[in-house]
Amino acid sequence: MLFAHLADCHIGSWRDEKLKHLNTEAFLKATQMCMDKKVDFILISGDLFNTSLPSVDNLKTIVGRLKELKDNNIPVYIIAGSHDFSPSGKTILDVLEKADLVRNVFQGEVEEGKLKLKFTIDEKTGAKITGIIGKKGMLDRTYYEQLDKTDLEKEDGYKIFMFHTALSEFKPKNLEQMESAPLSFLPKNFNYYAGTKKS
Ligand SMILES: [Mn+2]
């Protein structure tokens, strides 16, 4: 199995003429490598775009590439990051998912105060993928506190957990003030943790 893990692409984050194309170029280069190497799938752990409603130009470029990935039979699994939501909770990622260009793996329901996550199974490899979205100001903390880890940890097979928050144990000294979650928030027994810090 071969997969790629991207995060924090932040397409559209710079206004400066010299800088504003760099994120897009980096994304196009990385995803081109994915196609060249024929990866089985791609994970994007949040903040594909810098805003919940990206510009039409940026959307056109990224949607074009996502379509190419789809045509190459490379599924893209995503979670939303802290920049992906508008104040009303909307995100363009929902539109991309409707168009079948990405799959949001933050799936599940709350039963009696417990968050039960569901796995999304990659057809080609059988990899089981789930995760928790990132929200500004540690609003995602509630998800971790409610998370029922028992079934997740018991599940067999190759498992991937995607998340978008800094882990307290891995914070560098100069970012001590940064909001973070303790390692104990994550379910154990996964084969790969596809994380990124919140920024
Ligand atoms: Mn970010």
Side-chain angles (χ1 to χ4, degrees):
M1 179 181 343
L2 185 66
F3 62 86
H5 169 197
L6 315 182
D8 282 319
C9 310
H10 285 277
I11 304 292
S13 61
W14 299 97
R15 280 172 199 274
D16 183 275
E17 206 45 53
K18 279 188 192 147
L19 294 175
K20 74 176 188 188
H21 301 297
L22 291 180
N23 300 42
T24 310
E25 280 168 24
F27 179 81
L28 293 176
K29 190 171 175 183
T31 46
Q32 183 59 53
M33 283 170 72
C34 290
M35 290 191 282
D36 293 344
K37 290 183 185 296
K38 298 185 168 40
V39 300
D40 293 306
F41 56 85
I42 297 173
L43 309 169
I44 302 179
S45 300
D47 292 351
L48 169 56
F49 293 102
N50 195 50
T51 73
S52 57
L53 250 182
S55 72
V56 169
D57 285 342
N58 281 330
L59 255 181
K60 193 164 76 178
T61 309
I62 302 307
V63 163
R65 176 48 58 90
L66 290 173
K67 173 72 167 66
E68 251 181 283
L69 291 170
K70 188 180 163 66
D71 292 343
N72 279 268
N73 198 20
I74 300 176
V76 177
Y77 300 105
I78 58 157
I79 53 165
S82 43
H83 288 252
D84 283 319
F85 292 103
S86 71
S88 60
K90 307 249 190 253
T91 170
I92 196 77
L93 299 179
D94 287 344
V95 177
L96 300 184
E97 188 173 36
K98 269 271 185 247
D100 204 19
L101 295 172
V102 298
R103 285 283 295 279
N104 173 14
V105 301
F106 179 56
Q107 301 290 341
E109 49 201 21
V110 177
E111 285 171 22
E112 294 168 0
K114 290 271 183 194
L115 172 61
K116 301 253 187 193
L117 288 180
K118 286 197 180 76
F119 284 103
T120 297
I121 300 174
D122 178 64
E123 229 172 78
K124 243 184 296 168
T125 64
K128 298 173 176 177
I129 310 167
T130 189
I132 290 184
I133 56 174
K135 286 201 154 183
K136 285 199 176 79
M138 281 311 285
L139 284 172
D140 46 352
R141 178 174 272 270
T142 319
Y143 294 129
Y144 288 101
E145 284 166 353
Q146 292 184 329
L147 180 61
D148 186 344
K149 300 195 194 81
T150 320
D151 292 346
L152 294 180
E153 292 177 350
K154 270 198 299 205
E155 182 82 19
D156 60 4
Y158 190 93
K159 297 183 291 183
I160 296 173
F161 189 82
M162 298 178 71
F163 64 101
H164 189 92
T165 188
L167 295 170
S168 313
E169 287 84 347
F170 295 112
K171 263 196 299 191
K173 268 260 172 286
N174 61 332
L175 292 175
E176 252 171 12
Q177 301 303 314
M178 184 174 61
E179 59 199 28
S180 62
L183 206 45
S184 60
F185 271 22
L186 300 179
K188 295 188 178 67
N189 301 333
F190 276 64
N191 299 79
Y192 187 81
Y193 292 86
T196 183
K197 75 175 176 64
K198 211 174 291 175
S199 61

